[in-house]
Amino acid sequence: MNSLNNKMRILKWLALVTCIVMFLATFGGGVVTRTDSGLGCGREFPLCNGKLVPAHTIASLIEFSHRSVSAMAGILSIASFVGFLLFMKHRKDLQLFSLLTLLFVIIQGAMGALAVIFSQSAAVMGLHFGFALIAFASATMMTLGAWQEHADSRYTPRLIPGRVSRGYRNFIWLSTIYTYIAVYSGALLSHSVIQKVVNIGGIISPLLLHQISAGLLFVIILAVGHYSYRYHPNHRDIRTLGVVSVLLIILQVVIGIILLYVNRPEIYMFIVLGHMLVIASLFSILAYLSYRVWQLSPDRKLIPTQAQRS
């Protein structure tokens, strides 16, 4: 048991480091976009303007740094996947999350390379962020699951919590899907040069459409927090995830309002990055909540924790 606990302790920290580096890679992608540094290394990959170490220009350093962090995220994803595959055979879910993290790190890295070599179009850059979002969400789910598993193996076994209703489960799933759609549409809009020019039917602009979808998202997340906290007193993790979701969407709204009144480009850039990272964190929390309500679905067998199996 001590040997198993030691391996789980190492894996939970490895998962956390992987998640943090994934967060930094997402942040770095935003910096590259907002500083127009996507071609800082020219149309070459993995070299930077024909060199292994780039010339000391701001654009090349930003792009090269982002590539380096993304490569580190890939290496850590491989290590996490191998670790969970070898030492957590009883947690197929965590093995799956580590696999998804690895796969989407590879996919979003490939999309980034294609964006450099072929095109910096809004569609390509939007997809790049969309895949990075899924990679970060997978890493977050892997990390939260690993830390919960380690806690369950160390302390007095908890009672297996009751099930959640089908209605609540389906609402969480739909909320998570809508959040991803809203985030992706916002990313596509931010990469598009037509956001302030083209109107849809001469009535509503893409920017206004995004603001409407964001307003609806705010209402949905408030409902998620309410139903998670009010009707699940025996599920501490669900209540916590609900509260965190509400705090994140409130912070997102505050940042969005600030964006409307900031005129200085250097400040605006960092606020936009904060806007992007908060919504990425919100989607990751909702993704893990979606998994938890699936675990507690009425038609699923409740699986004991590691401590209860012992």
Side-chain angles (χ1 to χ4, degrees):
M1 180 60 68
N2 289 334
S3 175
L4 179 60
N5 282 337
N6 290 335
K7 292 175 182 177
M8 290 174 60
R9 184 181 298 109
I10 294 173
L11 283 177
K12 78 170 188 177
W13 283 106
L14 176 60
L16 179 60
V17 173
T18 302
C19 187
I20 292 173
V21 174
M22 282 299 307
F23 183 84
L24 294 176
T26 304
F27 175 80
V31 173
V32 168
T33 300
R34 292 300 160 184
T35 58
D36 292 324
S37 300
L39 295 179
C41 288
R43 295 194 178 277
E44 299 180 28
F45 189 90
L47 296 179
C48 187
N49 294 318
K51 301 178 181 178
L52 182 61
V53 179
H56 296 292
T57 64
I58 298 297
S60 64
L61 288 176
I62 291 175
E63 171 65 11
F64 185 78
S65 297
H66 175 53
R67 292 185 185 183
S68 300
V69 173
S70 298
M72 187 182 302
I75 293 172
L76 288 170
S77 298
I78 294 173
S80 296
F81 174 65
V82 172
F84 282 105
L85 194 64
L86 293 178
F87 303 116
M88 270 201 186
K89 298 182 183 298
H90 62 285
R91 290 296 302 268
K92 301 298 183 183
D93 53 344
L94 297 184
Q95 292 180 355
L96 175 61
F97 297 153
S98 64
L99 176 61
L100 290 176
T101 302
L102 175 59
L103 287 178
F104 280 100
V105 165
I106 294 174
I107 291 173
Q108 67 94 14
M111 290 296 299
L114 290 175
V116 168
I117 297 173
F118 295 108
S119 173
Q120 292 283 329
S121 68
V124 172
M125 297 306 296
L127 283 173
H128 182 46
F129 177 74
F131 288 132
L133 191 65
I134 297 177
F136 177 55
S138 300
T140 301
M141 296 168 73
M142 174 182 68
T143 302
L144 292 176
W147 278 71
Q148 186 63 65
E149 173 70 16
H150 187 239
D152 290 341
S153 68
R154 293 176 60 198
Y155 303 118
T156 303
R158 302 170 297 152
L159 293 175
I160 300 178
R163 302 178 188 274
V164 300
S165 68
R166 286 187 177 88
Y168 173 74
R169 178 200 65 187
N170 294 340
F171 174 62
I172 295 300
W173 287 354
L174 290 174
S175 299
T176 303
I177 293 171
Y178 177 77
T179 300
Y180 185 79
I181 293 173
V183 173
Y184 179 76
S185 64
L188 190 61
L189 178 67
S190 69
H191 291 296
S192 175
V193 297
I194 64 172
Q195 55 178 309
K196 296 182 180 179
V197 178
V198 178
N199 289 339
I200 299 177
I203 300 174
I204 184 170
S205 70
L207 180 58
L208 181 57
L209 185 63
H210 173 63
Q211 291 172 337
I212 293 173
S213 67
L216 179 57
L217 178 62
F218 177 73
V219 174
I220 290 174
I221 299 305
L222 289 183
V224 167
H226 171 71
Y227 286 112
S228 298
Y229 191 87
R230 177 67 176 82
Y231 296 104
H232 300 87
N234 297 324
H235 296 79
R236 182 179 178 183
D237 54 346
I238 286 180
R239 299 183 89 185
T240 301
L241 292 169
V243 171
V244 172
S245 298
V246 170
L247 294 176
L248 287 173
I249 197 63
I250 291 175
L251 179 59
Q252 183 75 348
V253 170
V254 171
I255 295 175
I257 293 174
I258 293 174
L259 283 173
L260 297 176
Y261 297 98
V262 173
N263 295 319
R264 297 178 60 182
E266 65 277 12
I267 298 178
Y268 184 87
M269 182 188 73
F270 286 103
I271 297 177
V272 169
L273 290 173
H275 194 62
M276 178 192 72
L277 293 175
V278 170
I279 200 64
S281 300
L282 174 61
F283 174 72
S284 299
I285 292 296
L286 290 175
Y288 186 69
L289 181 57
S290 294
Y291 170 69
R292 285 295 292 138
V293 299
W294 174 76
Q295 282 185 313
L296 300 171
S297 295
D299 50 354
R300 273 186 52 81
K301 179 180 178 181
L302 294 179
I303 302 175
T305 65
Q306 175 67 20
Q308 289 165 332
R309 284 191 296 269
S310 303

